[in-house]
Amino acid sequence: MNCKICNNKSEKIFNAKVLYKYDVDYFQCTACGFAQTEEPHWLQEAYISSMNLSDTGVMYRSERMSKITTSIICLFFNKKGFFLDYAGGLGVFTRAMRDIGFNYFWHDPYTKNELARGFEGELNRKYDAVTTFESFEHFVEPIEEIEKILELTDTIILTTDLISIPAPKHTDWWYYCSEHGQHLSFYSIKSFETIAKKFDLYYYNAMNIHVLSKKKLGLFGSLLFKLPIAKHLLYLGFFVFNPFLKSKAFDDMNSFYQKKQ
């Protein structure tokens, strides 16, 4: 099997049960370290519900990432710009970001928008940045999906856990998530560097947070993201920036009343 990121040879690393019943081979690229399952024939069954039961971190992740993303936007991008949450799930993160004060919009063709209704994003415009959390590991064809997102923006802010080289055993890493069968693609630092080079992007990493952007974040950005505690500093930065941002919660409510009049 060839790597879906760099097209080099991938070698089998183990076989594991997916959805507790399918014997599935996992492979890791010998060049960039990207790991992938065999072609996923079980996806229709895996996606009976787009939100899997074992993902108990939806609310926690949205709370954390709303603060971290606030700092990233305020430090490096136009805070009055337009932003899209891609694969936005129930709309928790979009609503949180609008409540903080950003022009945030939602998109997800597979999940019903419950909390950001009225703020569905258009796919025929450009956004200052697109966020997409815990989605890259679901991509069957990562390069094709990244191309789609880059049609919408020059900056992708995403989360996914990094795989080591060599890959951990199936029993040693929870992120394989074979019980629900939705995690198919696993990225190393070198995988992201390869993606950045392919699309002529700069790559910044803070633990499981990744920024791919055509914009160089400058000396400060480079130094910040090299710090082992960068993720924690970005979280704390929210409390510095938040007092200077105006929530859209009441403005959004008033706009709905005005539309009904």
Side-chain angles (χ1 to χ4, degrees):
M1 179 173 280
N2 288 344
C3 175
K4 292 183 178 180
I5 300 299
C6 69
N7 205 37
N8 283 293
K9 181 183 178 182
S10 290
E11 295 182 343
K12 180 179 172 179
I13 49 177
F14 56 75
N15 180 279
K17 288 285 186 186
V18 169
L19 292 172
Y20 300 104
K21 60 180 178 179
Y22 298 114
D23 288 314
V24 173
D25 289 339
Y26 286 69
F27 302 82
Q28 186 169 41
C29 178
T30 56
C32 77
F34 175 77
Q36 63 199 62
T37 66
E38 63 182 72
E39 289 306 307
H41 54 82
W42 58 89
L43 286 189
Q44 186 172 357
E45 194 171 340
Y47 282 100
I48 290 174
S49 171
S50 62
M51 307 290 287
N52 67 74
L53 288 174
S54 62
D55 187 5
T56 57
V58 171
M59 299 302 296
Y60 175 78
R61 183 168 61 246
S62 295
E63 185 274 330
R64 296 281 298 179
M65 287 311 302
S66 67
K67 291 178 170 58
I68 290 168
T69 305
T70 292
S71 292
I72 292 173
I73 291 172
C74 289
L75 285 170
F76 305 112
F77 300 98
N78 176 15
K79 63 179 181 290
K80 294 183 179 180
F82 287 81
F83 305 91
L84 180 74
D85 193 32
Y86 189 89
L90 299 173
V92 177
F93 181 79
T94 299
R95 186 63 258 168
M97 293 303 285
R98 294 193 68 84
D99 288 351
I100 290 169
F102 296 103
N103 292 311
Y104 238 93
F105 297 88
W106 170 97
H107 173 72
D108 193 325
Y110 303 109
T111 308
K112 185 179 178 182
N113 180 9
E114 295 286 0
L115 296 176
R117 285 179 292 171
F119 300 101
E120 291 79 12
E122 299 175 359
L123 299 186
N124 58 356
R125 62 157 300 156
K126 277 277 193 177
Y127 294 89
D128 290 74
V130 167
T131 49
T132 182
F133 302 133
E134 300 306 298
S135 63
F136 266 51
E137 62 277 6
H138 294 253
F139 292 162
V140 179
E141 298 294 342
I143 295 300
E144 291 181 13
E145 294 292 343
I146 294 167
E147 287 173 343
K148 289 178 186 177
I149 300 173
L150 289 174
E151 290 177 1
L152 304 171
T153 188
D154 290 338
T155 298
I156 306 172
I157 302 168
L158 68 114
T159 61
T160 193
D161 280 19
L162 289 167
I163 195 165
S164 61
I165 304 173
K169 296 178 181 178
H170 182 258
T171 54
D172 292 343
W173 197 37
W174 70 274
Y175 206 67
Y176 290 122
C177 293
S178 302
E179 73 281 354
H180 60 65
Q182 295 181 4
H183 285 197
L184 315 169
S185 298
F186 309 94
Y187 307 77
S188 67
I189 286 283
K190 198 169 182 181
S191 302
F192 277 114
E193 291 172 347
T194 302
I195 291 168
K197 186 176 181 180
K198 180 179 180 65
F199 291 103
D200 195 23
L201 303 169
Y202 295 99
Y203 171 58
Y204 302 90
N205 164 250
M207 298 173 71
N208 68 325
I209 299 169
H210 314 273
V211 180
L212 292 162
S213 182
K214 291 185 180 179
K215 178 182 178 181
K216 192 173 184 179
L217 302 188
L219 179 61
F220 175 72
S222 296
L223 293 174
L224 173 63
F225 279 93
K226 285 179 181 178
L227 294 174
I229 59 170
K231 179 177 178 178
H232 307 300
L233 292 175
L234 289 168
Y235 180 86
L236 292 173
F238 166 83
F239 299 97
V240 175
F241 298 117
N242 187 52
F244 302 98
L245 299 169
K246 182 179 181 295
S247 173
K248 294 187 177 296
F250 287 105
D251 289 344
D252 287 350
M253 178 182 67
N254 290 332
S255 70
F256 284 120
Y257 283 133
Q258 290 170 6
K259 288 176 183 178
K260 291 183 177 181
Q261 292 177 352

